[in-house]
Amino acid sequence: MTEASHASASGAAQALPETLQAPGPAPDDDSSGVDLRVTLPALALIIGIVVWGLTAPAGFTAVAGAALDWILTDLGWLFALVATGIVAFVIALGFSGYGRIKLGADEEEPEFSTPEWLAMMFAAGMGIGLLFYGTYEPLQHYMSPPPGRPERDAAGAFAHALLHWTLHPWAMYAIVGLAIGYSTFRMGRRQLISSAFVPLIGARRAAGPIGRVIDVLAVFSTVFGTAASLAVGATQIGAGLTYIGLIDGASTGLYLGVVVVLGVCYLASAMSGVGRGIRWLSNGNMVLAGILAGFLIIFGPTVAALDSIPVALGSYLDQLPRMSFRTAANQDGGAGEWLSAWTLFYWAWWVSWTPFVGMFLARISRGRTIREFIGGVLVVPTVVSAVWFAIFGGSAIHLERNGESVWGDGSPEGILFRMLGHLPAATIASAVAMILLATFFITSADSASTVMGTMSQGGRVTPAPWMSAIWGSMTGLVAVLFLVTGGEDTLSALQTILVVSGTPFLIVAALLVVSVAKGIAADPLFLDERERRRHERRLARERFLVGDPEAPGDPAGAAAAEGAGRRP
């Protein structure tokens, strides 16, 4: 923090009641050591699950499947309500008067330019997923529609893809990022998920066992969410290498090799810091992604891709209310299997990403207002994702309709490359896609390793490189678990384990909404304004009752003044 912002936050914290004060040192105190109360339980939990899954995969898979069935049957309603409730709360907050509060001191300016801010935000949030699912998901819903939807329904296919990739995930990221940014940069608390709960549970509890449990869950969720992306990226890179002819066929051994190579790269990037490594890679990612999308528009089915943009946006907005509240009870109880493979899987995946994406968004958004933060986090990624899905999914659907098979055997890893194979310079385009897969993951894992290091060191803004390396290694181990237990169907293993591991943090995210609402309602800026308005109303009442001697045409004031003039 600057001296001014540090003084402002500290002064505000001292003036507030205990429930709004900060536990521990200010966020710029980098002297924090390792918090063993968070690090050891999280490491033990993750290592225990990895050992169990690798040594007894059948038993592990059976338990995970039973847990998934229970969550789907008994908690599907909770996912639907929490995910959609967060969207409604974040939008309402952005339009409210609280939107002008800054995530920092009142006079503080943003550290990054708006284009850099948006590029880093988008690359960290879901870049690798867009490459994997951007072509596959719309085509999948088109070929095998969701329950209750007709076959070969392109509008419905786009609507469901955008449900999973636009407002809902980014609202989840926004609530966590907003909570951490407000707590850390405005109120001067430590940069921890638990510190964002101070308005709800108080400073002592946030610094005690309850807060440590919250931080352990945050680290645990982050490791599994990031590992899922690494596993997805590894399988798609393997499919790309097969397509361009560098290997005869992908295998688990190849995937593990890709995990190792990417792991070394993202650990090296994490040690260069947010201001350099992530900024450079994020800007490069956006340029390459734009080139790939432009290539598809120019050399692919141009009109079909552009026509898909309004179709995708219109169908999404039209079907959004019905899709948002779908549970396993829909379609006479027949929607459960589809929801577990799609909507619940996504909600759990996004929830598992919220600790690190939220903390990363907070770090790069310091100095921006709440309204600017929410607008940037919700609107820009939603529009870009919608356009991306329309271009890539629309092109794939058009080619499939016209007998140029993209679907093939339905394996999701190869669909992007099969679509690019219908275009000129397919090998070059496929190579660009694989580079993007790698660099998108590096930026995400880079951010995740740094954030987990921060949570393990008591909120230290710049964690020790060796601590980031530990959590990066844990991410690689969990990715190995996904790949080994998944066998031929890695995606099913991802879906099962992610839904199970992400569910506990869903409760944390729901309670965080309450904490944010309570904390912002007591912001010093609004407390001062309320006091000023009360003072003005009191003066107005006094003037009305006594009379204002300076007001023209005020008989009561004139009489009072005349009486005062005759008084000895």
Side-chain angles (χ1 to χ4, degrees):
M1 273 187 170
T2 62
E3 290 186 8
S5 61
H6 185 283
S8 173
S10 301
Q14 292 171 1
L16 296 174
E18 184 269 341
T19 55
L20 293 176
Q21 290 179 6
D28 277 357
D29 185 353
D30 281 353
S31 63
S32 302
V34 177
D35 188 345
L36 297 179
R37 298 170 299 173
V38 172
T39 305
L40 292 182
L43 279 175
L45 185 60
I46 293 166
I47 292 174
I49 290 175
V50 170
V51 171
W52 177 23
L54 295 180
T55 57
F60 175 78
T61 302
V63 171
L68 175 65
D69 291 339
W70 175 76
I71 291 169
L72 177 64
T73 302
D74 295 340
L75 294 182
W77 61 271
L78 184 61
F79 274 90
L81 289 179
V82 170
T84 305
I86 289 175
V87 174
F89 174 79
V90 168
I91 293 175
L93 182 62
F95 280 104
S96 72
Y98 297 109
R100 56 193 177 86
I101 296 174
K102 276 196 173 183
L103 302 180
D106 290 337
E107 71 281 1
E108 198 164 359
E109 295 298 324
E111 177 182 1
F112 300 102
S113 69
T114 298
E116 288 177 334
W117 175 58
L118 295 174
M120 287 191 289
M121 172 204 309
F122 193 75
M126 56 177 56
I128 195 171
L130 290 182
L131 281 167
F132 187 91
Y133 286 97
T135 307
Y136 164 60
E137 186 170 349
L139 185 58
Q140 165 68 30
H141 296 328
Y142 176 76
M143 301 294 292
S144 180
R149 300 298 306 177
E151 294 185 1
R152 305 279 173 147
D153 175 24
F158 285 126
H160 285 82
L162 297 191
L163 170 71
H164 300 146
W165 288 89
T166 53
L167 285 179
H168 280 76
W170 285 98
M172 294 181 196
Y173 297 159
I175 192 62
V176 177
L178 176 62
I180 296 172
Y182 180 84
S183 174
T184 302
F185 302 126
R186 187 162 183 85
M187 304 308 295
R189 305 182 187 118
R190 289 187 176 190
Q191 194 171 223
L192 295 168
I193 301 286
S194 57
S195 295
F197 278 88
V198 169
L200 184 62
I201 63 177
R204 292 187 182 88
R205 292 189 181 92
I210 295 176
R212 300 289 76 77
V213 169
I214 292 172
D215 291 333
V216 168
L217 287 176
V219 173
F220 178 79
S221 296
T222 299
V223 167
F224 275 79
T226 311
S229 295
L230 178 52
V232 165
T235 58
Q236 198 170 22
I237 288 174
L241 292 173
T242 302
Y243 175 79
I244 63 177
L246 292 181
I247 59 174
D248 291 333
S251 64
T252 301
L254 172 69
Y255 298 152
L256 297 181
V258 173
V259 167
V260 171
V261 172
L262 291 181
V264 171
C265 292
Y266 71 68
L267 289 178
S269 177
M271 295 177 187
S272 72
V274 172
R276 290 188 300 170
I278 301 179
R279 181 189 299 189
W280 293 343
L281 283 174
S282 298
N283 291 339
N285 286 345
M286 299 310 292
V287 171
L288 279 179
I291 291 173
L292 187 62
F295 173 82
L296 186 57
I297 290 176
I298 295 171
F299 296 103
T302 304
V303 175
L306 296 178
D307 280 345
S308 298
I309 295 175
V311 171
L313 288 171
S315 59
Y316 168 62
L317 295 175
D318 176 59
Q319 300 180 39
L320 179 59
R322 181 171 61 254
M323 295 186 300
S324 297
F325 294 103
R326 177 182 290 158
T327 68
N330 286 84
Q331 275 70 52
D332 290 330
E337 183 178 354
W338 187 89
L339 285 173
S340 68
W342 291 101
T343 305
L344 289 187
F345 162 63
Y346 277 122
W347 289 178
W349 196 358
W350 304 144
V351 163
S352 70
W353 271 42
T354 56
F356 94 81
V357 177
M359 188 172 291
F360 180 73
L361 290 178
R363 289 179 64 182
I364 65 174
S365 302
R366 180 174 178 173
R368 298 185 182 273
T369 65
I370 289 177
R371 183 172 294 116
E372 186 180 8
F373 174 83
I374 291 175
V377 171
L378 283 190
V379 176
V380 175
T382 292
V383 172
V384 173
S385 297
V387 171
W388 183 276
F389 273 87
I391 292 172
F392 282 77
S395 298
I397 290 173
H398 174 81
L399 291 171
E400 192 70 32
R401 279 174 174 167
N402 286 273
E404 300 177 77
S405 179
V406 175
W407 182 250
D409 60 359
S411 58
E413 298 86 2
I415 285 180
L416 171 64
F417 300 105
R418 285 196 290 272
M419 182 187 68
L420 294 176
H422 291 285
L423 308 181
T427 301
I428 297 175
S430 298
V432 171
M434 285 189 288
I435 293 172
L436 265 177
L437 284 167
T439 55
F440 266 137
F441 177 76
I442 289 170
T443 54
S444 297
D446 180 332
S447 309
S449 300
T450 302
V451 164
M452 287 185 285
T454 291
M455 290 188 282
S456 301
Q457 294 190 272
R460 180 174 172 178
V461 175
T462 307
W466 60 267
M467 180 57 71
S468 298
I470 287 176
W471 291 120
S473 301
M474 290 299 102
T475 300
L477 283 177
V478 175
V480 170
L481 173 66
F482 282 132
L483 294 168
V484 171
T485 58
E488 295 297 322
D489 194 359
T490 302
L491 198 56
S492 292
L494 287 173
Q495 291 163 346
T496 300
I497 299 173
L498 261 182
V499 171
V500 174
S501 63
T503 297
F505 204 78
L506 179 73
I507 310 299
V508 175
L511 294 175
L512 197 57
V513 172
V514 181
S515 185
V516 167
K518 187 174 181 180
I520 290 178
D523 185 82
L525 175 67
F526 279 86
L527 291 178
D528 289 344
E529 288 190 355
R530 291 190 192 106
E531 182 60 32
R532 187 177 67 252
R533 285 196 296 268
R534 281 196 294 268
H535 179 67
E536 291 173 351
R537 285 195 297 268
R538 186 170 62 250
L539 290 178
R541 284 195 300 269
E542 290 175 357
R543 285 195 299 268
F544 177 78
L545 294 174
V546 176
D548 187 350
E550 297 181 0
D554 183 358
E562 183 179 352
R566 291 195 301 267
R567 191 172 298 138

